[in-house]
Amino acid sequence: MAINPNHKILFDPISIGPVTAPNRFYQVPHASGMTEANPRVRAAFRATKAEGGWGVVSTGAVSTHPSSDDSPLPFARLWDDNDIASHAMSCDAIHEHGALAAIELWHGGAAVMNRSSRIAPYSPSGVPWAATHVGFMGQQRPRIMTQADINDVISWQVAAAKRAQQAGYDIVYIYAGMGYLGYEFLLEDYNKRTDDYGGSVENRVRFVRQLIEQTKQAVGDKCGVALRISLEELRAKPSENFASQAHHVVSLLSDVPDLWDVKMDSSPTDCGASRFRAEGAHEPIIDFVKQVTDKPVVGVGRFTSPDTMVSQIKRGILDLIGGARPSIADPFLPNKIKFGRSDEIRECIGCNICIASWHDGVPIRCTQNPTIGEEWRKGWHPEKVPSSGSEDRVLIVGGGPAGLEAALTAAKRGYHVTLADKADYWGGRLEFETKLPGLNSWGRVRDYRVHALKQMANVDLYLGSELSYQDILGLEHQRVAIATGGIWSKALYSSLEIPLGSLDGPGVYTPDDIAAGAVLEGPVLVYDFDNYYLGGVLAEALADRGLEVSYATPAGHASAWTIMTNEQPFVHQAMDERDISVHTQSLLQDFDGSNCTLANIFTNKEHSIEAKSVLIVGLKLPNDDLYQQLMARADDFGDARIKSVSQIGDCLAAGAIVHAVYSGHSFAQGLDNEDQSNYLRDIPVALHPPSRAF
Ligand code: ADP
Ligand code: SF4
């Protein structure tokens, strides 16, 4: 199909210093959980983005020196010449598809703890980066940099830039954002120096200016030199002669870098979850930059709609459309637009499982794109699948995230697929969950797959079809996947997560009851030891219904695991806005129909709160009766011509949507390829001797 003429502008080349990006799709630096230990994983992951049409493909943070050591969080490095080879592998792979390769050189300053290198962290004035110390339990305070330290950091940047050029990178970054060293110099709260690097905005900008100028001097004839800068806090700071300190800083550096990469300040706002941040949420902070510089500007905003992207360019906000999450959810987003197939874009849902995998210290995972990070390890590709290995017909029971993904991938492979669900809608749990506060865009998991399945001739879709094991035995499908989801239990847990039995009786509910339309009497206690989003979201939803709501959890925060997905600060804000009283470190001991007894998890001290209803969001168990009934008839499989029966998604092991989609994909990849689902290509050790330790 031809490109929509309205989208043509997105494919205009643009110069970035001495290099030219082939189009406006710029995969900005983002965490991928891939380090020097897995160069092939990294190269294949980035090559796929370049193959999908991203004109620039960037690394995540690449440390210039062991004094920028974020361990145990994953990061890459260019500490000495030994590190060049693994980067060259990525550059070659990106160049093969005609894209430019960019490297985000990075010094973490006081925002890293140097846990491995044990070097006292660097900072302008000894002020620790708050998030690092509060969130990640760092205890060492940073050193106050001397002039010699400043010179060292600049020389490490320059040396790394030269190595980057040698490795084949086309664009080299200076990083002055997100709490890292360059940014700390820009902010008066962190920079209290009285020398040439502190005090006035001109002085505070000096360190970043020197980093840019010296990088340009070193590699600027061959490489574009980009400045990545956070502007949120600076924009909130008043300035005497400018609209804000952000305006002043950008004006001072206006044409110094070849490219401005502009962003927010902290991960929760920069990589905001869709629950709390809409597409394009950065615009009010970064909208002025193009008016102050003649250099190209790239920025992000979880852009997935080509019309929004075009509008960003036409309205003079951005020159290049930055994508991190959109490029993860759909590495082929640019090509789909180019070939007039925008309706096939697998849009990011903004769930932030991708950033959670970085916090977990593992290669990237994505709810929408189960192949991400598995390009090398499993040989998976977001668009191409191996053809079917037989004429087997595939029956999938349950059209939630797991069943839909299994059906789509099996059908793409060429199998004849039958997908049946007892409900009169597709999407399983999504039907209910996407109607809860902030979760609407998660429906894209369903919509993308249903849209694709409806186009396919080898797929039969049946709604309103509850299948029994007898039905399945009679359907003459050789491969059967049971994707019947999970059931929330009423189990209670102790502080040691030892089951304490369950709480039942009138007034006790689970999320399944709410989904089925239960009307709760207030006041309500939401007792959450699932600790991901659902308990918090349901508390919000019940409060929105006008009920008085309390929330209790054994954890230290509400929706404790959402710290991994950048949601937690906003969860607490959302609860506060709704007057939901939050009881942390609390175990639910008892409920007598009008009061709940909560006990402190550490002291057992009890207190009572009024509640007529209790909603337990705790342990979800597989809804596997159908699977068990079918397996009890395994002796009949031969006559029924059934070759295999699999449990997938929540029916196997209840989890987040990312787990269900992965499970469905893995099942379909494994058809007639039995090793595939558990197959991991060896993760190669470093290609070269480890860098010198300091
Ligand atoms: P997952 O996240 O693992 O995909 P969901 O709970 O979202 O799980 O979806 C499970 C789906 O299975 C639901 O849509 C439910 O209606 C459907 N289902 C459950 N039992 C049957 C059955 N016996 N026959 C057909 N569909 C079923
Ligand atoms: Fe988007 Fe979620 Fe995938 Fe991240 S994990 S790219 S937020 S869909």
Side-chain angles (χ1 to χ4, degrees):
M1 264 187 279
I3 186 171
N4 176 337
N6 296 335
H7 301 157
K8 248 179 148 45
I9 195 173
L10 298 171
F11 296 90
D12 289 348
I14 184 167
S15 297
I16 300 170
V19 298
T20 303
N23 60 37
R24 304 305 177 97
F25 293 95
Y26 193 111
Q27 182 247 288
V28 293
H30 71 77
S32 66
M34 297 170 194
T35 67
E36 302 316 310
N38 23 40
R40 289 190 177 86
V41 173
R42 198 162 68 177
F45 157 73
R46 297 204 174 115
T48 307
K49 306 246 196 128
E51 186 192 355
W54 293 88
V56 179
V57 176
S58 308
T59 65
V62 179
S63 169
T64 58
H65 184 265
S67 58
S68 179
D69 156 21
D70 215 3
S71 53
L73 292 172
F75 62 95
R77 65 181 193 218
L78 253 182
W79 290 348
D80 63 28
D81 289 356
N82 289 323
D83 288 332
I84 295 172
S86 71
H87 285 272
M89 188 182 273
S90 272
C91 291
D92 292 349
I94 292 166
H95 290 154
E96 242 173 63
H97 298 284
L100 298 181
I103 180 166
E104 184 187 48
L105 294 180
W106 155 79
H107 197 290
V112 293
M113 284 288 97
N114 297 340
R115 290 177 175 91
S116 293
S117 69
R118 305 187 68 174
I119 296 171
Y122 285 53
S123 76
S125 304
V127 181
W129 189 256
T132 311
H133 291 264
V134 175
F136 294 99
M137 303 205 316
Q139 259 316 316
Q140 186 167 27
R141 303 301 180 233
R143 73 174 70 182
I144 299 167
M145 289 167 73
T146 62
Q147 179 65 53
D149 291 332
I150 290 175
N151 297 346
D152 280 348
V153 173
I154 295 172
S155 74
W156 298 330
Q157 161 81 22
V158 167
K162 288 181 181 162
R163 289 184 198 113
Q165 188 191 333
Q166 243 181 295
Y169 286 106
D170 309 285
I171 297 170
V172 174
Y173 269 80
I174 284 85
Y175 200 174
M178 305 282 281
Y180 300 126
L181 190 57
Y183 186 58
E184 292 163 17
F185 271 87
L186 296 178
L187 291 177
E188 55 205 339
D189 305 309
Y190 291 85
N191 180 350
K192 302 188 180 299
R193 300 178 73 93
T194 51
D195 61 4
D196 288 350
Y197 293 90
S200 65
V201 175
E202 284 80 358
N203 277 359
R204 282 186 269 133
V205 161
R206 192 178 310 280
F207 175 64
V208 174
R209 177 191 288 279
Q210 289 176 345
L211 285 167
I212 304 170
E213 287 174 347
Q214 297 202 31
T215 303
K216 264 186 138 174
Q217 228 173 1
V219 300
D221 55 334
K222 295 264 169 30
C223 299
V225 174
L227 173 63
R228 189 164 220 215
I229 188 167
S230 294
L231 295 171
E232 198 179 356
E233 283 191 34
L234 287 166
R235 189 140 190 193
K237 302 253 183 225
S239 159
E240 260 176 43
N241 302 315
F242 290 83
S244 73
Q245 287 192 15
H247 291 74
H248 194 175
V249 167
V250 178
S251 303
L252 285 170
L253 294 173
S254 160
D255 289 343
V256 184
D258 296 322
L259 172 76
W260 283 86
D261 179 339
V262 290
K263 60 183 331 217
M264 309 290 260
D265 289 33
S266 68
S267 203
T269 53
D270 191 54
C271 179
S274 57
R275 256 177 94 182
F276 304 106
R277 290 282 182 282
E279 182 181 16
H282 294 212
E283 187 175 324
I285 301 296
I286 57 90
D287 57 356
F288 72 95
V289 177
K290 259 188 69 60
Q291 292 150 29
V292 190
T293 176
D294 291 329
K295 301 293 178 167
V297 178
V298 62
V300 293
R302 203 163 38 78
F303 298 121
T304 54
S305 146
D307 293 333
T308 310
M309 297 174 193
V310 168
S311 140
Q312 288 280 318
I313 295 177
K314 290 209 165 147
R315 289 187 296 116
I317 310 294
L318 298 174
D319 298 294
L320 292 124
I321 302 303
R325 289 173 291 175
S327 77
I328 297 165
D330 196 341
F332 276 64
L333 178 148
N335 280 355
K336 287 179 183 174
I337 297 172
K338 187 172 181 178
F339 298 114
R341 292 166 38 214
S342 302
D343 61 331
E344 292 175 32
I345 294 173
R346 197 169 41 246
E347 292 181 281
C348 166
I349 67 167
C351 62
N352 280 357
I353 286 294
C354 46
I355 191 77
S357 45
W358 179 64
H359 293 141
D360 271 336
V362 295
I364 194 158
R365 282 89 178 77
C366 169
T367 299
Q368 272 285 53
N369 176 10
T371 70
I372 203 86
E374 306 293 357
E375 299 85 352
W376 164 259
R377 301 198 317 162
K378 297 196 168 195
W380 289 358
H381 188 281
E383 301 300 315
K384 300 176 204 156
V385 285
S387 10
S388 59
S390 69
E391 298 287 305
D392 288 350
R393 293 166 72 87
V394 181
L395 171 67
I396 294 160
V397 187
L404 288 171
E405 175 63 20
L408 181 57
T409 304
K412 280 185 179 171
R413 289 191 59 193
Y415 289 96
H416 183 100
V417 174
T418 303
L419 176 63
D421 198 295
K422 69 178 181 183
D424 57 4
Y425 50 78
W426 295 113
R429 62 194 280 183
L430 291 169
E431 174 73 10
F432 167 59
E433 293 187 13
T434 55
K435 295 190 177 82
L436 297 172
L439 296 185
N440 181 45
S441 64
W442 290 24
R444 292 169 172 182
V445 171
R446 169 197 60 215
D447 299 344
Y448 161 75
R449 289 168 177 81
V450 172
H451 176 78
L453 283 164
K454 285 187 173 166
Q455 327 284 316
M456 302 178 90
N458 55 333
V459 176
D460 292 323
L461 300 171
Y462 298 99
L463 283 176
S465 304
E466 178 162 9
L467 298 190
S468 64
Y469 73 90
Q470 296 97 328
D471 295 331
I472 297 170
L473 288 170
L475 280 173
E476 299 214 357
H477 282 60
Q478 291 70 53
R479 306 289 187 172
V480 178
I482 308 294
T484 46
I487 300 173
W488 289 96
S489 75
K490 292 180 179 173
L492 294 181
Y493 267 58
S494 76
S495 54
L496 296 174
E497 294 226 344
I498 297 165
L500 280 183
S502 52
L503 190 69
D504 217 335
V508 180
Y509 300 90
T510 70
D512 294 326
D513 298 321
I514 313 283
V519 178
L520 275 57
E521 195 183 346
V524 181
L525 173 75
V526 177
Y527 180 56
D528 180 11
F529 62 91
D530 172 61
N531 293 330
Y532 188 21
Y533 62 93
L534 195 60
V537 170
L538 283 172
E540 287 180 37
L542 293 171
D544 289 347
R545 288 185 192 175
L547 293 165
E548 188 186 330
V549 179
S550 304
Y551 169 98
T553 175
H557 287 87
S559 299
W561 194 79
T562 62
I563 192 162
M564 306 293 272
T565 51
N566 286 345
E567 290 162 277
Q568 195 182 70
F570 308 119
V571 170
H572 278 269
Q573 285 172 14
M575 289 196 176
D576 193 54
E577 277 162 20
R578 290 168 172 84
D579 287 328
I580 297 170
S581 58
V582 176
H583 306 264
T584 58
Q585 302 175 11
S586 296
L587 293 169
L588 176 58
Q589 302 286 83
D590 198 15
F591 171 56
D592 65 10
S594 53
N595 281 293
C596 284
T597 308
L598 298 175
N600 181 281
I601 192 167
F602 299 116
T603 63
N604 290 329
K605 195 166 157 188
E606 292 188 348
H607 78 280
S608 167
I609 54 173
E610 207 188 322
K612 289 255 167 50
S613 309
V614 175
L615 170 62
I616 302 175
V617 188
L619 179 65
K620 197 178 188 186
L621 294 167
N623 176 30
D624 61 356
D625 287 355
L626 178 62
Y627 175 79
Q628 302 300 352
Q629 288 161 2
L630 193 55
M631 293 313 284
R633 299 289 299 271
D635 290 347
D636 299 336
F637 287 180
D639 292 345
R641 299 183 52 221
I642 291 176
K643 285 193 197 164
S644 67
V645 176
S646 309
Q647 282 168 286
I648 60 173
D650 281 9
C651 176
L652 173 65
I657 298 167
V658 61
H659 302 114
V661 172
Y662 178 84
S663 173
H665 190 84
S666 188
F667 159 78
Q669 287 273 5
L671 290 168
D672 297 305
N673 189 10
E674 304 301 348
D675 284 347
Q676 178 60 235
S677 50
N678 284 315
Y679 167 74
L680 275 192
R681 209 185 283 218
D682 283 346
I683 301 171
V685 287
L687 288 173
H688 49 74
S691 286
R692 187 160 34 101
F694 280 69

